[in-house]
């Protein structure tokens, strides 16, 4: 499948920040609650949320909102989706030719 220019830009932007790469690594180990990710990276939940939104938009992660049995608050969990990042000359030919 040939990628559009916007798809290539979205993927590039998603993996262009060290925090987002670290998030991908952490999520490759297991599904995580956003609070735990913030704690592990020593960043605010708001900052982590912004990075996760970028990764989700690019198709690298997915989220699941759920109620925990012992807590009546909704918690958002993230997990890594299966992905393969590649760009080939055919993609660029399709865009710029």
């Amino acid at each position: 499948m040939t990628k559009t220019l916007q798809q290539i830009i979205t993927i590039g932007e998603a993996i262009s920040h060290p925090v987002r790469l670290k998030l991908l690594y952490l999520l490759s180990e297991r599904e995580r609650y956003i609070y735990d990710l913030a704690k592990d990276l020593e960043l605010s939940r708001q900052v982590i949320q912004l990075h996760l939104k970028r990764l989700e938009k690019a198709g690298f992660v997915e989220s699941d909102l759920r109620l925990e049995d012992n807590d009546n608050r909704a918690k958002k969990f993230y997990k890594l989706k299966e992905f393969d990042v590649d760009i080939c000359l055919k993609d660029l030919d399709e865009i710029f030719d």
Side-chain angles (χ1 to χ4, degrees):
M1 182 178 103
T2 304
K3 293 177 183 63
T4 67
L5 180 58
Q6 188 56 49
Q7 288 171 320
I8 293 169
I9 290 168
T10 300
I11 290 167
E13 287 175 344
I15 59 175
S16 68
H17 196 284
V19 169
R20 290 192 284 274
L21 291 174
K22 180 73 176 197
L23 285 167
L24 290 176
Y25 173 74
L26 291 172
L27 291 171
S28 72
E29 297 171 340
R30 63 178 159 60
E31 179 181 67
R32 308 282 293 261
Y33 175 45
I34 191 168
Y35 176 81
D36 296 330
L37 290 167
K39 185 177 169 185
D40 289 347
L41 293 173
E42 298 179 352
L43 295 169
S44 72
R45 282 179 291 180
Q46 293 82 2
V47 168
I48 296 297
Q49 178 66 33
L50 291 173
H51 286 295
L52 287 168
K53 279 184 181 180
R54 180 74 58 96
L55 290 170
E56 197 167 22
K57 179 181 176 188
F60 291 108
V61 302
E62 60 188 2
S63 61
D64 182 33
L65 195 60
R66 59 181 91 132
L67 291 172
E68 294 293 296
D69 291 336
N70 59 348
D71 190 352
N72 289 329
R73 294 182 303 162
K75 293 184 178 181
K76 198 167 203 176
F77 287 82
Y78 285 86
K79 67 180 178 182
L80 194 65
K81 291 173 68 176
E82 190 68 34
F83 67 87
D84 183 25
V85 176
D86 70 88
I87 181 173
C88 63
L89 289 176
K90 181 181 175 192
D91 295 326
L92 297 176
D93 284 342
E94 291 284 327
I95 293 168
F96 296 112
D97 248 354

